Each structure stands twice: as C-alpha cells, then as structure tokens.
Amino acid sequence: VHGDSLLFRFIRNSLDAVHEVEVVGEAHDFLSADRLARQLQPDAILAGRRVNGVPAVEFFARLRPVLPLATFVILGDDHRPEELLRMEEIGVSGYLVATALSEALLPHVLAAATDGHVVILTDAAARALMTAERQRLGHSDPAPALTDRQRAVLHHLTEELTVAEIAHVLGTSTETVKREIARLEELFEVHSRFALGVKAARAGLVP
C-alpha cells in the first residue's frame, strides 16, 4: 500500500523478480487496500507510514481482526515514538526505516514476505521507543538473564542484520541463530521480532 513513491516501485520490481514471493495485490490508498486484503487474504502487507495523509497504524488496527496471522510491515522515514508504541499495541510485525532507494532494504522486505520475520528496529528507533516507554511507564522492565550469544544475536537484530548475516558474523549456522531468536522471544514472552525489539528497549538492552 503506497502513494506511488519511487521507493515502493523499486521494491515491487525487486519482489517480482523473486520466485518465492507472489505480489497478489497493490493499492494506492487504504480504502482500496482494505477491500483487497479482505478479498485476497495475503500473508504479508507492506505499507508506507502514511498514505494520502492516513496513518498506516490505523489501517492495520482495523485489519488485524480480519487477518490475525498476517505479517504487517510499515516502511517509514523517521522514528515517531507514539507511532512505534501504537504499532506494538496492534501487533504490527515490523517497522523498516528507509530514507532512500537501497538494495540493503530488500532482504528485510523479503524476510517479512516469506517467513513473517523482519528486523525492524534501528538503534535510533529503538532509543526513541525506549524513551517513550520509560516516560509512559516511569520505569524499565527487568531484563531476563541472557547468554553472551543471545546478547550478540539481540544486538545484531537491532543493527538490521538478516539471520544469514548474523550467522556469518557469529560464525555459526542460520538454524542456530533461528533457535536463539526463538529462545529470546520465549524469554521475553513475545511472538514477533518487533515485540522482541520493544521488550529489549524497555529493558535497556538496546544501546
């Protein structure tokens, strides 16, 4: 869902070249996107932070009961804490920060489209979210005990590395990294990497 931006056309053309991904619909406003989503029942929806002045978070809030298992990803250009908090509340799966065309963005879009996982919090976004949470709650959540490897995986997730990239940096397999992420989600009692980033920010584990 987009306002016909150059960035989204770039992403669409790139996704069309990947045989594991089928782009089943495209809309230029949230009203049309709502109809398409209810009709096509997609596995993942990527939307701009605002389309024609309408916030994506409100569109996803209305759509979540209809698509309870779908991956919702927002592509934004800044770190507004109140919107990050709202995304957490309604179960948005990812928030990608992009200010220009970049092939580095594509692995994260593909990850969201193919397996429901996407690295979503840059350090700046995580700090903004952490500040907002502390102001709202007045305190930080306690951090669970983590191994050195789990801390390393968590750190690299906030750096927007893919599973394959984290495995390469740590000198281990992608399956090991996936197990560590699953264990982190269990320890933080969350079900997505977005929520994991939120909990890590609350606990002060994001630098």
Side-chain angles (χ1 to χ4, degrees), residues 105-187:
L105 181 67
L106 291 177
H108 306 303
V109 175
L110 288 171
T114 56
D115 66 10
H117 293 298
V118 62
V119 181
I120 43 79
L121 286 180
T122 63
D123 284 347
R127 284 193 294 270
L129 179 59
M130 179 173 63
T131 299
E133 285 286 358
R134 287 177 174 173
Q135 289 176 346
R136 183 174 73 169
L137 300 175
H139 62 82
S140 299
D141 287 350
L146 303 179
T147 66
D148 290 342
R149 172 167 285 179
Q150 287 167 347
R151 287 180 178 273
V153 169
L154 187 60
H155 170 71
H156 291 310
L157 282 175
T158 65
E159 291 187 323
E160 299 189 70
L161 269 64
T162 64
V163 168
E165 289 169 340
I166 295 173
H168 177 74
V169 170
L170 299 182
T172 188
S173 69
T174 56
E175 291 305 313
T176 297
V177 173
K178 288 180 180 178
R179 283 197 298 271
E180 293 290 8
I181 292 173
R183 178 57 180 156
L184 284 167
E185 291 179 352
E186 180 181 341
L187 287 170

Side-chain angles (χ1 to χ4, degrees), residues 28-101:
H28 298 287
D29 61 76
F30 287 129
L31 182 61
S32 300
D34 185 274
R35 289 196 297 266
L36 278 176
R38 292 170 189 271
Q39 174 188 351
L40 299 173
Q41 299 284 301
D43 296 317
I45 300 177
L46 175 67
R49 187 178 67 82
R50 297 181 74 87
V51 177
N52 298 329
V54 180
V57 287
E58 300 310 321
F59 162 68
F60 284 138
R62 293 193 299 271
L63 204 56
R64 176 54 78 192
V66 181
L67 298 172
L69 301 180
T71 298
F72 294 161
V73 180
I74 294 175
L75 183 64
D77 55 5
D78 58 18
H79 317 113
R80 297 193 179 189
E82 67 277 7
E83 290 193 12
L84 292 171
L85 293 174
R86 181 71 172 131
M87 289 176 204
E88 178 199 2
E89 292 171 359
I90 66 177
V92 170
S93 307
Y95 181 71
L96 290 169
V97 178
T99 56
L101 299 183

